[in-house]
Amino acid sequence: MKFAIHNLRMIRARLRQNGWVLAELFLVFIVMWFLCDSLGCMKYTFYRPLGFDIEHVYLLELVKGGESRDSSLTDADKYWSVLEKLQQEPTVEVAALCYWSLPMSGSNSYNSLSAQDSVWVNARLINTTGGYIDVFRMKDDARCPFSEMPADRNHVMLSQATVNRFKRRIPEFSQDTPLGHPYDTTLTVTQSGTIEAFRTYRYGDDAPCYFYRLDENSVKKRYADENANIVFRVKAAADGDDYRARFVREIAARLDTDNLFVADAVPYTQQQHQFEVLNGDTDKVNSQAIVVLFLLVNVFLGLIGTFWFRTRRRRSEIALRLAMGSTKSQVFRLLTGEGLLLLTIVALPAMLVCYNIGMAELTIGRTELISTWPVKWGVLRFLLGSLGAWLLIALMVMMGIFFPARQAMRIEPAEALHEE
């Protein structure tokens, strides 16, 4: 306590000299908070679990060529035949066929369901066979698995994000709440369970979805002339760097049906990368990282330079303290304590400014100034960013004091006083 009071008196005695340091620390803290907030959101978003797994998952690349040898076959017949053949392959753990339903894909379809005839929630439609959940290792209701849900339009599974949207508008909403179709109020849709929260791509928020199961009959009846996607999970023991080449060389030809040919099996990690590039996420991340790195380097050099210059100008004071009996560690603690106290003094008003900037994002809307990531603004995010900013600046302050102070302490006190 006495140490802090002594430092406060020193700061007060040098108020005019410390004024520009306080102003610089104030601005640097705001900039550093922005950098820590951006980096924190980026890291959290990048590493936050997707809610599904794409390791050992492949997407079939299918092409149509030439005239059909059997005019009685529809596209749905051919896709279903490929799926059945694929499921018989020894290296394949599970496979699924779907329409406009893949994660990290630009192909989507949306619709709304209602609760209590007045609350509508729009969500993405996942039209797929029962193996979809196992292919992507999603988590459904163990008591009512998706693979056993009736394959019709009157039974649906909701993702957790969809349930949350309903609950925000209807607090008493539950799995027993009946749902209605948007254009036919006479039909009732029964909830068959819930799919745990997941994101359809790495930089997205939890996805609101309606899951409808397809079987052979529904596929051939409703999607006779539509293009489908087929994904499959390879057994971990059979997968490897050469699996794609082996698949094309040894398996693909066995899956061909009529004029529908299997051209390739693309690892879903590659699909993820392509989607992020096409969606602009990769460019956004790279641009954000460059800006953050540029600002961080400039702040680092500027702040260290300021305290380096400030400490060198106090060589005579350091020499005098050593001559009066202070130890080198005591002098160093005094200088660093003063620097950290200056930082703490400006941190409080700077945090107030930072908090108001964050609240502006919350009340006005998501802004490019703060973050484009799906990390909700809150007290925890604000405090973590402020703590990170304080620690980084404190490190810079200590580095800016330590080296020149160590050089000053190597000079004999009499020599330093003589130079002064």
Side-chain angles (χ1 to χ4, degrees), residues 64-194:
K64 296 177 184 176
E67 293 293 329
S68 174
R69 295 186 297 272
D70 186 349
S71 58
S72 65
L73 293 176
T74 65
D75 288 342
D77 292 324
K78 300 170 189 176
Y79 282 115
W80 193 264
S81 176
V82 171
L83 176 66
E84 289 184 326
K85 293 177 184 178
L86 181 63
Q87 290 173 327
Q88 301 304 315
E89 290 296 327
T91 60
V92 175
E93 181 178 323
V94 62
L97 179 148
C98 61
Y99 293 88
W100 320 294
S101 302
L102 291 178
M104 291 168 284
S105 169
S107 180
N108 306 292
S109 61
Y110 289 84
N111 209 336
S112 299
L113 291 178
S114 67
Q116 299 181 356
D117 298 329
S118 59
V119 176
W120 300 84
V121 170
N122 186 261
R124 186 186 181 195
L125 301 182
I126 305 297
N127 301 296
T128 182
T129 55
Y132 186 95
I133 301 298
D134 293 326
V135 168
F136 290 107
R137 296 277 171 87
M138 293 180 174
K139 296 181 180 179
D140 55 2
D141 193 334
R143 297 168 301 177
C144 307
F146 177 73
S147 58
E148 298 179 7
M149 185 178 77
D152 57 49
R153 307 307 287 181
N154 295 330
H155 290 82
V156 67
M157 273 195 178
L158 277 59
S159 68
Q160 188 60 50
T162 310
V163 173
N164 294 340
R165 288 193 178 187
F166 273 114
K167 284 187 174 180
R168 280 196 293 269
R169 302 181 65 182
I170 308 175
E172 64 274 16
F173 182 85
S174 69
Q175 188 173 321
D176 297 325
T177 303
L179 303 176
H181 280 289
Y183 306 115
D184 190 346
T185 57
T186 62
L187 295 178
T188 299
V189 180
T190 302
Q191 296 184 57
S192 297
T194 303

Side-chain angles (χ1 to χ4, degrees), residues 7 183 225:
N7 273 306
Y183 306 115
D225 301 315

Side-chain angles (χ1 to χ4, degrees), residues 243-269:
Y243 181 79
R244 183 178 185 180
R246 287 191 289 113
F247 182 92
V248 173
R249 184 176 61 252
E250 301 172 7
I251 301 175
R254 296 201 293 266
L255 306 181
D256 295 342
T257 301
D258 193 51
N259 64 338
L260 183 64
F261 304 99
V262 177
D264 200 358
V266 182
Y268 218 87
T269 50

